[in-house]
Amino acid sequence: MRIANGRLAFADMLLFDELSATITAGEWTCILGPSGVGKSTLLRMIAGLGESDPATNITASDGSPLDQRIAWMAQQDLLLPWLSVSQNIALGNKLRGQTTDGGHVSALLANVGLDARPDALPATLSGGQRQRAALARTLMEDRPVVLMDEPFSAVDAITRARLQELAARLLRGRTVLQVTHDPLEALRLGHNIHVMAGRPAHLGAVIRPPGDTPRDPTEPALRDLHMALLAELSSAADDGSNGGAP
Amino acid sequence: MNSLWDSRPIRFSTYAAGLLIGAVLWEYFGGKVNPSYGAPLSATAKRFIFLVSNGQLQDAVLGSLQLYFVGFISAVLAASLFGLLMSRLNYLRVGFENYIMLLYATPMIAMVPFIKSVLEIGFAAKFTVVFLFGFFPVLYNTLEGARSVKPEMVEVAKSFRSGEFALWRDLLIPHTVPFILTGIRQGAGRALVGVVAAEFLISSSGLGGLIQDQQGKYSMSGVFASITVLTAMGLLLMWIGRVLENRMAAWRGLNR
């Protein structure tokens, strides 16, 4: 998947311009950057949500259109509060007027460890359980490309680690593009990491941490990378604050 | 303190004592005043039985209920549909927003003479009064509800390639139903005020007409009997509204 000449401006503030990246198919790519740099906006542009500039060109290497092949997962679970967990998982089919294979829903519920509570309403679940239901809903869509906007940032550390492991296992083989502000999360999950920084923002060169995912971020090799990423992010944050000053 | 109120018998007997004291006071002071100013509870009860036995009260209740339900149900349907449409069509919302605020702030009773001059004294005029009393609380709450749908929710639906119809059926309407029900609960009481206002001010009929009729006969007990029936109707309608709200919007309570 290639992004060429990505461009977005709000009023007189240019968020990014001539931004390009190549996202490798079948791998997990993380875009890491400070808050407000435009990571989520870029992701939403790829998902075809919200505003986009006509100059922006997002293409898949096989030439066919992307919009039918993308699943989207956000920071909040965005489950519909009046539907049960299993109805939420089947929501995409319902919206498109397609029938849902109950066996498939059950299998997904079992995969995310919610098979005991298919009829529970989201409000009766913990934050981690809700996010697992959202993950199952994303998987139900069965799309080759999965875009994730800080999907694990609203839960506590232990739950986050478990969700990361689960997602890494269940999304293996798909093209995942995840936005995060947490370098450890990027090191744990990403085959490829890009730092997004500056104003207008640009994407840094790809970093490919060694080993299979989900990685243990306490490994010495990753520790050095973590330090390097932190240094890059903090200098980016300084640039951002200078650039943003009136 | 809490443990005392946890006991059902104590709560119940306190309720009962409160009601009993009220009844005794009504009986005592109602009997002291000139009968053209007031009536004791016993006389009111006697008059109630008389009005039931000659069929006057039932006719009045039926007339008021008919006006109430035709007017209010139309108001609920029109207001919820219009509110949902306004939430999706920006030009409709921007164009009408000011008028809605103006009319919501206007005491509807001030419109009654105008409605009477235009529509005269038939059912249409009374219907219009009840409709207007009930319409704005439902519309206002529907708009609030439909506007409170998170844009991210709509985006999720869009990312699932939902069409506009499915978006309404599966997201906008279910999300807005609890707000519509809040509007119904608020509008239910107002529409009852509208019924009595129409029956007083447009042309005498129903319970409002019965109150005027009994007052004309200097029967305060008859006036009180009619008011008591209106109170009971108000309580019943509020209770129905609350039951509907609890039953159809249980998820909203969970989410608070």
Side-chain angles (χ1 to χ4, degrees):
Chain A
M1 184 166 73
R2 227 191 114 60
I3 305 160
N5 201 21
R7 183 176 192 285
L8 194 77
F10 290 116
D12 54 350
M13 189 181 77
L14 193 61
L15 212 50
F16 43 82
D17 195 10
E18 293 180 7
L19 179 145
S20 343
T22 304
I23 312 297
T24 317
E27 289 190 343
W28 191 303
T29 302
C30 288
I31 295 182
L32 185 63
S35 304
V37 75
K39 312 183 290 288
S40 295
T41 316
L42 175 65
L43 200 69
R44 291 159 52 84
M45 243 162 97
I46 300 171
L49 301 169
E51 298 166 45
S52 84
D53 192 282
T56 305
N57 192 9
I58 299 164
T59 49
S61 53
D62 63 4
S64 46
L66 265 170
D67 58 341
Q68 307 270 308
R69 294 188 284 170
I70 287 178
W72 168 261
M73 190 171 163
Q75 181 177 351
Q76 297 155 313
D77 55 75
L78 298 177
L79 299 172
L80 301 190
W82 55 90
L83 296 183
S84 70
V85 169
S86 53
Q87 287 170 326
N88 262 296
I89 291 174
L91 180 67
N93 283 339
K94 183 147 194 288
L95 285 168
R96 290 186 297 271
Q98 296 164 342
T99 50
T100 299
D101 172 12
H104 191 191
V105 174
S106 309
L108 283 173
L109 278 169
N111 274 339
V112 298
L114 284 173
D115 38 341
R117 310 201 56 192
D119 300 320
L121 288 178
T124 64
L125 302 177
S126 69
Q129 287 173 321
R130 282 205 294 273
Q131 209 56 354
R132 276 190 272 154
L135 180 62
R137 185 168 74 175
T138 309
L139 289 166
M140 182 75 192
E141 291 298 294
D142 198 20
R143 309 280 178 84
V145 181
V146 179
L147 304 180
M148 301 172 115
D149 188 358
E150 310 216 5
F152 314 121
S153 59
V155 292
D156 63 85
I158 305 290
T159 311
R160 188 180 314 147
R162 288 192 186 139
L163 276 169
Q164 287 167 343
E165 233 157 77
L166 187 71
R169 183 161 56 80
L170 295 175
L171 291 170
R172 186 155 292 150
R174 287 174 209 263
T175 308
V176 178
L177 183 58
Q178 183 198 354
V179 152
T180 179
H181 60 254
D182 177 3
L184 277 178
E185 181 164 276
L187 286 171
R188 211 166 139 71
L189 296 173
H191 298 108
N192 310 289
I193 302 172
H194 292 275
V195 173
M196 184 171 178
R199 176 147 302 160
H202 57 273
L203 283 179
V206 62
I207 299 164
R208 290 183 63 90
D212 201 17
T213 59
R215 302 186 192 90
D216 175 4
T218 55
E219 275 176 40
L222 292 184
R223 263 205 330 251
D224 295 346
L225 264 177
H226 184 212
M227 298 312 289
L229 282 175
L230 277 178
E232 199 172 338
L233 281 172
S234 94
S235 78
D238 293 344
D239 285 357
S241 59
N242 291 339
Chain B
M1 199 57 191
N2 275 335
S3 58
L4 187 67
W5 290 111
D6 283 344
S7 146
R8 280 182 75 105
I10 289 178
R11 283 177 70 101
F12 180 78
S13 37
T14 312
Y15 276 133
L19 287 174
L20 188 70
I21 291 169
V24 169
L25 289 175
W26 182 0
E27 184 65 29
Y28 178 74
F29 288 105
K32 288 277 180 198
V33 297
N34 183 321
S36 54
Y37 298 150
L41 175 60
S42 56
T44 303
K46 216 179 276 174
R47 190 71 182 172
F48 177 86
I49 291 164
F50 169 76
L51 288 172
V52 171
S53 67
N54 72 9
Q56 240 181 314
L57 192 64
Q58 294 93 307
D59 287 349
V61 168
L62 271 179
S64 292
L65 278 179
Q66 192 189 11
L67 177 59
Y68 180 87
F69 281 110
V70 175
F72 188 48
I73 289 173
S74 314
V76 168
L77 291 177
S80 40
L81 196 69
F82 189 54
L84 281 165
L85 271 175
M86 274 181 73
S87 72
R88 286 297 286 168
L89 303 172
N90 273 332
Y91 56 88
L92 206 61
R93 195 182 76 226
V94 176
F96 278 98
E97 213 158 32
N98 288 325
Y99 293 107
I100 286 162
M101 278 312 294
L102 284 174
L103 283 168
Y104 191 58
T106 306
M108 272 307 137
I109 199 142
M111 307 285 281
V112 175
F114 164 68
I115 294 165
K116 189 176 177 179
S117 355
V118 176
L119 294 170
E120 302 188 344
I121 57 168
F123 187 78
K126 290 183 196 172
F127 166 83
T128 307
V129 172
V130 179
F131 182 91
L132 286 176
F133 268 81
F135 183 77
F136 288 97
V138 180
L139 178 64
Y140 198 79
N141 280 286
T142 307
L143 272 176
E144 282 291 305
R147 252 188 252 176
S148 72
V149 178
K150 284 187 197 156
E152 295 89 351
M153 291 272 197
V154 178
E155 284 181 347
V156 165
K158 291 240 166 99
S159 83
F160 289 158
R161 287 178 287 130
S162 167
E164 184 71 16
F165 174 75
L167 191 70
W168 279 64
R169 184 196 56 202
D170 295 329
L171 180 60
L172 292 177
I173 293 177
H175 176 91
T176 311
V177 162
F179 294 86
I180 296 177
L181 289 168
T182 304
I184 289 177
R185 191 165 46 74
Q186 290 172 6
R190 286 200 183 202
L192 192 61
V193 176
V195 166
V196 179
E199 290 169 345
F200 279 171
L201 301 171
I202 304 266
S203 68
S204 190
S205 69
L207 280 164
L210 186 62
I211 291 174
Q212 286 181 319
D213 171 65
Q214 295 299 302
Q215 189 209 13
K217 290 173 178 155
Y218 301 102
S219 167
M220 275 305 123
S221 54
V223 171
F224 283 173
S226 315
I227 293 174
T228 311
V229 174
L230 272 172
T231 306
M233 272 170 67
L235 285 174
L236 184 72
L237 292 166
M238 271 164 63
W239 176 77
I240 292 173
R242 207 164 34 235
V243 167
L244 274 177
E245 204 178 358
N246 289 344
R247 180 165 294 190
M248 294 182 68
W251 61 267
R252 198 180 169 205
L254 285 172
N255 267 35
R256 279 198 190 119

